[in-house]
């Protein structure tokens, strides 16, 4: 199962995704880190710029990544009850 | 209303300056997140699913228009234009940026507000009756007693690292609008044998993982001594509370383990040692605080009869206003529960409007209720139509107080990092489905939590819903028979859980069965449930 690296930016709290050469606000930019995930967390943690670094499971789909759990889908798109704030990750109605 | 003296203001201003420095050092990487996290939590800042969340304390749920305008300004300037009123009479903002937090807290301090002690294992915001000083049924205004507790507990060094968080509620009425039986300490103003005012003391109530009702440990405590008595309770708890196990660390577990009689004995023993030390303030201090809460001068000759020929207005008056202790006046509850909307959310524009109405028509006071609505406590009846029209124009005139669509809901998995399941969408669906028949149903309190922590008070719901996690999927348990009022009881799980659509259908089946079982239109759902028990409802849902 593909794994994605995510966290929250310390200055703003924004949810961000590891893209291979940086961080993006958008799930679609994420890359699967798979076995290198733990090493990346070990690399970024001491820098103290990203809070709550975590690896999450996601399935690839035609529309992009679909995180496995409801929690991570909500994190990726925004509150399901505020579609006006939804990020272009997965359709709010499919959370 | 209480106004800060120079000490209150100095404490809050010093905290803003201190936190400004701490944030700068965190952003410059001079301190780690591990070291910083407890500091931000002490200032009410959590990291939630999408961003930082700030919880602002609203002492005993009382605001003036200047403060509510500031809360609107914060929503606009620092958030996305709205805030969420909580079941602890506080407000939360969901889209905070750490780098902006010091300026925000300075803005708050400019209107005598802050966010500390809205997190952590300390004495949290003191809650109270939203109808204080207005209700015809109260003995006295409970807020001076709550305010003295606020001052005593603010940054109290001995009680800043308790075994767990600690919640106190104070009420001045036998009609319990503050859920005192479900608090760590509940205080009720009562009359003594000579007619003097004292406090009945309840300890060990709470919801969450182990819901328990509080026990009365003292029927009458003279008000002159209540602070030292509070100190004695906290000391016994601080000494014996279960710091080794977070799930057993609340005072309710200690009271339960020791037994209320033994707990009370230990408190009395501690108090006997403490009282002579002079911890209680002189009566003049309580009098100084009480002077801030002088009842407003209202015109007792204001007309009682008003034009109710508009049926929609008349219905709103019937459902959302309560009698005031002064004739010709009313207490208005503004519902933040329009069916389909998010319970407890208010936009900045709505907050500004309500603040303006309070200034013009309600003696400049607003109250926040633990049911996530707002109250204008002192309104002339002949101003009600003007207020209703203004509220209606802003989507705030829903006439559903204590009815099926007036649902308490925590933020749940849409915002909260601890959640198992979403609460808000369930509340929205239920409110839309039940609103058409709610007048027929009468008082029906539905309360929804997204996890066992119970911020949505599901154990105190006539109908409670608890979100649980079933292998990564949202699942909902149905509970029946709870109450947070003077007839307090704890709701019990009916049976196996449901998915999102299933829980809505199950609630509808419960309500359908109630309609066929009730003895008459005056029998509330809760009364029917208590009369017939769970079986008929089980059969309706699972049969
Ligand atoms: S009950 Fe649980 S999900 Fe709801 S706000 Fe509290 S901690 Fe979060």
């Amino acid at each position: 199962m593909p794994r994605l690296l995510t966290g929250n930016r310390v200055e703003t709290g924004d949810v961000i995704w590891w893209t291979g050469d940086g961080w993006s606000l958008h799930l679609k930019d994420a890359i699967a880190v798979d076995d290198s995930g733990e090493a990346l967390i070990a690399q970024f943690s001491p820098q103290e710029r990203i809070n709550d670094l975590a690896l999450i499971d996601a399935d690839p789909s035609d529309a992009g990544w679909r995180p496995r759990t409801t929690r991570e889908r909500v994190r990726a798109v925004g509150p399901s009850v505020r579609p006006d704030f939804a990020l272009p990750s997965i359709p709010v109605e499919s959370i | 209303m209480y106004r800060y003296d120079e000490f209150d203001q100095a404490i809050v201003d010093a905290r803003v300056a201190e936190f400004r420095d701490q944030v700068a050092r965190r952003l410059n990487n001079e301190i780690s997140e591990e070291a910083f996290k407890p500091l931000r939590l002490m200032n009410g800042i959590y990291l939630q699913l999408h961003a930082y969340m700030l919880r602002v304390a609203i002492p005993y749920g009382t605001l003036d228009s200047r403060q509510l305008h500031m809360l609107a300004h914060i929503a606009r300037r620092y958030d996305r234009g709205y805030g969420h009123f909580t079941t602890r009479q506080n407000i939360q903002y969901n889209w905070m940026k750490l780098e902006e937090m010091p300026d925000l807290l300075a803005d708050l301090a400019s209107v005598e507000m802050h966010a500390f002690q809205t997190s952590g294992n300390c004495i949290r915001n003191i809650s109270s009756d939203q109808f204080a000083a207005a209700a015809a049924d109260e003995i006295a205004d409970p807020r001076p007693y709550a305010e003295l507790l606020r001052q005593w507990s603010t940054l109290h060094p001995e009680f800043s690292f308790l075994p767990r968080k600690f919640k106190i509620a104070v009420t001045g009425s036998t009609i319990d609008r503050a859920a005192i039986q479900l608090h760590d300490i509940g205080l009720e103003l009562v009359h003594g044998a000579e007619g003097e005012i004292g406090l009945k003391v309840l300890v060990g109530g709470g919801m969450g993982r182990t819901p328990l009702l509080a026990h009365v440990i003292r029927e009458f405590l003279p008000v002159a001594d209540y602070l030292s008595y509070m100190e004695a309770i906290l000391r016994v708890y601080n000494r014996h509370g279960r710091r080794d196990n977070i799930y057993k660390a609340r005072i309710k577990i200690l009271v339960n383990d020791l037994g209320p009689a033994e707990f009370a004995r230990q408190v009395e023993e501690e108090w006997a040692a403490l009282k002579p030390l002079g911890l209680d303030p002189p009566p003049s201090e309580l009098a100084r605080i009480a002077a801030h809460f002088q009842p407003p001068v209202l015109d007792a000759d204001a007309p009682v009869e008003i034009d109710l020929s508009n049926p929609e207005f008349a219905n709103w008056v019937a459902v959302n206003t309560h009698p005031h202790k002064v004739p010709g006046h009313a207490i208005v509850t503004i519902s933040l529960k329009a069916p389909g909307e998010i319970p407890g959310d208010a936009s900045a524009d709505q907050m500004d409007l309500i603040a303006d109405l309070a200034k013009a028509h309600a003696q400049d006071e607003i109250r926040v209720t633990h049911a996530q609505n707002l109250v204008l406590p002192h309104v002339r009846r002949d101003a009600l139509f003007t207020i209703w029209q203004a509220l209606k124009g802003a989507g705030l005139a829903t006439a559903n107080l204590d009815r099926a669509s007036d649902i308490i809901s925590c933020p749940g998995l849409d915002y909260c990092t601890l959640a198992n399941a979403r609460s808000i969408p369930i509340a929205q669906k239920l409110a839309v489905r039940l609103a058409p028949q709610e007048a027929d149903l009468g008082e029906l309190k539905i309360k929804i939590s997204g996890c066992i922590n119970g911020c949505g008070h599901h154990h105190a719901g006539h109908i409670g819903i608890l979100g649980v996690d079933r292998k990564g999927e949202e699942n909902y348990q149905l509970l029946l028979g709870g109450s947070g009022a003077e007839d307090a009881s704890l709701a019990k799980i009916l049976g196996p859980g449901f998915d999102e659509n299933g829980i809505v259908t199950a609630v509808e089946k419960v309500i359908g069965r109630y309609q066929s079982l009730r003895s008459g239109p005056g029998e509330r759902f809760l009364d029917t449930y208590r009369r017939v028990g769970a079986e008929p409802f089980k059969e309706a849902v699972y049969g």
Side-chain angles (χ1 to χ4, degrees):
Chain A
M1 154 117 30
R3 308 193 88 192
L4 314 179
L5 177 60
T6 183
N8 295 76
R9 201 182 290 286
V10 69
E11 295 86 354
T12 59
D14 289 334
V15 174
I16 48 177
W17 304 90
W18 176 244
T19 67
D21 59 0
W23 296 91
S24 170
L25 292 169
H26 300 294
L27 175 67
K28 67 175 169 44
D29 300 331
I31 59 150
V33 295
D34 300 335
D35 291 346
S36 61
E38 301 295 347
L40 284 166
I41 289 179
Q43 176 191 331
F44 289 125
S45 288
Q47 296 173 12
E48 295 278 356
R49 305 314 301 160
I50 318 284
N51 287 338
D52 293 358
L53 283 161
L55 297 166
I56 65 126
D57 295 332
D59 295 310
S61 78
D62 291 346
W65 295 114
R66 182 174 169 78
R68 271 281 164 108
T69 64
T70 313
R71 182 184 196 278
E72 290 306 327
R73 291 195 291 277
V74 171
R75 254 186 101 246
V77 69
S80 68
V81 291
R82 290 302 301 248
D84 47 334
F85 298 147
L87 289 164
S89 52
I90 49 173
V92 178
E93 55 283 2
S94 78
I95 285 176
Chain B
M1 262 191 68
Y2 184 74
R3 298 300 305 257
Y4 277 9
D5 63 15
E6 71 267 32
F7 301 108
D8 296 302
Q9 194 65 51
I11 288 170
V12 174
D13 291 344
R15 178 57 87 85
V16 174
E18 179 187 61
F19 191 58
R20 190 180 291 282
D21 178 60
Q22 290 163 343
V23 170
R25 286 193 287 143
R26 174 69 188 99
L27 294 179
N28 290 334
N29 261 9
E30 290 166 33
I31 42 178
S32 66
E33 184 63 19
E34 188 186 0
F36 179 70
K37 187 175 175 182
L39 301 176
R40 70 166 158 78
L41 287 171
M42 282 179 188
N43 289 282
I45 300 162
Y46 295 68
L47 182 56
Q48 293 286 41
L49 286 181
H50 311 292
Y52 292 102
M53 179 271 277
L54 173 70
R55 183 179 296 149
V56 176
I58 302 177
Y60 33 90
T62 296
L63 293 164
D64 63 19
S65 62
R66 182 185 55 124
Q67 292 172 321
L68 188 53
H69 278 307
M70 178 56 79
L71 296 180
H73 162 75
I74 286 168
R76 246 184 230 111
R77 162 74 183 77
Y78 301 100
D79 199 272
R80 295 188 177 181
Y82 68 105
H84 176 77
F85 289 98
T86 76
T87 52
R88 282 213 66 69
Q89 299 176 298
N90 292 325
I91 187 169
Q92 292 179 181
Y93 295 100
N94 301 300
W95 303 94
M96 299 281 97
K97 295 182 175 15
L98 182 63
E99 55 200 4
E100 295 182 344
M101 213 61 82
D103 288 344
L104 185 164
L105 294 176
D107 284 352
L108 264 186
S110 74
V111 294
E112 304 171 30
M113 295 184 79
H114 62 72
F116 45 89
Q117 291 181 213
T118 59
S119 171
N121 294 337
C122 55
I123 300 173
R124 302 288 189 89
N125 185 39
I126 316 288
S127 57
S128 188
D129 181 353
Q130 68 268 20
F131 291 175
D137 49 63
E138 87 177 2
I139 285 177
D141 187 343
R143 293 172 304 161
Y145 306 95
E147 171 57 27
L148 184 56
L149 286 174
R150 184 195 72 78
Q151 296 187 18
W152 162 77
S153 61
T154 296
L155 309 186
H156 194 307
E158 189 177 337
F159 306 136
S160 293
F161 297 95
L162 293 166
R164 264 313 252 139
K165 57 187 169 186
F166 202 89
K167 299 177 179 179
I168 304 175
V170 193
T171 182
S173 171
T174 50
I175 297 178
D176 185 3
R177 289 171 286 261
I180 60 168
Q181 296 185 59
L182 290 160
H183 278 75
D184 295 295
I185 296 179
L187 297 173
E188 179 188 334
L189 293 176
V190 289
H191 279 134
E194 313 283 303
E196 75 282 23
I197 287 180
L199 291 153
K200 187 196 274 190
V201 183
L202 296 85
V203 177
M207 291 180 262
R209 188 172 297 267
T210 313
L212 289 165
L213 296 179
H215 299 273
V216 176
I217 62 163
R218 210 167 212 280
E219 289 288 349
F220 187 87
L221 178 67
V223 288
D225 300 329
Y226 84 103
L227 223 45
S228 55
Y229 195 83
M230 293 295 106
E231 186 115 358
I233 295 172
L234 266 296
R235 281 200 167 180
V236 171
Y237 171 51
N238 215 8
R239 191 177 301 139
H240 299 302
R242 291 280 306 272
R243 290 174 193 275
D244 61 312
N245 184 339
I246 189 173
Y247 301 123
K248 296 188 185 297
R250 295 289 290 264
I251 195 174
K252 61 191 172 187
I253 304 292
L254 179 65
V255 173
N256 207 42
D257 285 354
L258 289 176
E262 170 58 15
F263 181 83
R265 190 198 64 74
Q266 293 195 18
V267 170
E268 294 287 335
E269 190 177 278
E270 183 70 32
W271 191 43
L274 267 178
K275 208 160 73 149
L277 301 180
L279 283 169
D280 290 296
S284 60
E285 179 56 13
L286 190 55
R288 181 189 74 83
I289 291 172
H292 288 276
F293 295 92
Q294 284 303 311
V297 180
L298 301 175
D299 177 8
D301 294 326
V304 174
E305 297 305 323
I306 55 171
D307 180 0
L308 294 170
S309 55
N310 177 321
E312 200 184 339
F313 169 63
N315 183 48
W316 178 80
V317 171
V319 177
N320 279 39
T321 71
H322 279 78
H324 195 282
K325 62 168 76 168
V326 177
H329 291 75
I331 306 168
V332 170
T333 301
I334 300 169
S335 171
L336 300 180
K337 313 286 183 65
E341 297 296 329
I342 298 174
D345 274 17
S347 70
D349 290 349
Q350 288 175 325
M351 288 187 234
D352 276 336
L353 173 84
I354 293 167
D356 288 341
L357 290 172
K359 180 89 178 166
H361 300 291
Q363 305 290 323
D364 202 18
E365 270 202 47
I366 306 101
R367 310 280 174 76
V368 184
T369 82
H370 81 265
Q372 303 175 291
N373 292 314
L374 298 179
V375 164
L376 301 177
H378 312 291
V379 175
R380 281 175 67 107
R381 284 178 60 82
D382 58 10
L384 286 174
F385 189 71
T386 305
I387 291 172
W388 174 74
Q389 280 183 309
L391 292 174
K392 192 168 154 60
L396 291 166
T398 308
N400 64 351
L401 182 62
D402 293 338
R403 290 190 169 173
S405 66
D406 182 12
I407 297 173
I408 290 182
S409 169
C410 79
L413 191 54
D414 278 301
Y415 292 99
C416 177
T417 192
L418 300 174
N420 287 323
R422 285 172 289 170
S423 318
I424 299 167
I426 306 297
Q428 290 173 312
K429 278 187 191 170
L430 278 173
V432 168
R433 294 269 269 272
L434 299 175
Q437 47 174 330
E438 67 186 353
D440 172 64
L441 300 173
E443 184 184 290
L444 178 56
K445 298 187 180 183
I446 303 177
K447 308 189 182 194
I448 310 176
S449 302
C451 81
I452 193 72
N453 286 333
C455 305
H457 294 185
H458 61 277
H459 274 116
H462 297 182
I463 297 178
I465 296 172
L466 167 64
V468 294
D469 178 282
R470 226 173 61 181
K471 298 187 185 132
E473 296 295 324
E474 295 164 293
N475 195 263
Y476 298 91
Q477 290 180 344
L478 179 60
L479 300 89
L480 300 182
S483 168
E486 60 280 2
D487 61 351
S489 57
L490 298 167
K492 293 200 170 55
I493 294 176
L494 194 65
F498 306 89
D499 66 11
E500 185 176 341
N501 291 323
I503 188 70
V504 175
T505 307
V507 170
E508 288 184 312
K509 285 180 179 169
V510 163
I511 289 173
R513 181 55 59 100
Y514 153 65
Q515 285 171 305
S516 67
L517 286 171
R518 64 183 167 187
S519 61
E523 188 176 71
R524 304 177 302 166
F525 168 81
L526 183 62
D527 300 324
T528 303
Y529 175 85
R530 285 174 175 171
R531 179 169 57 78
V532 304
E535 274 315 310
F537 297 102
K538 228 180 236 174
E539 204 250 347
V541 172
Y542 302 103

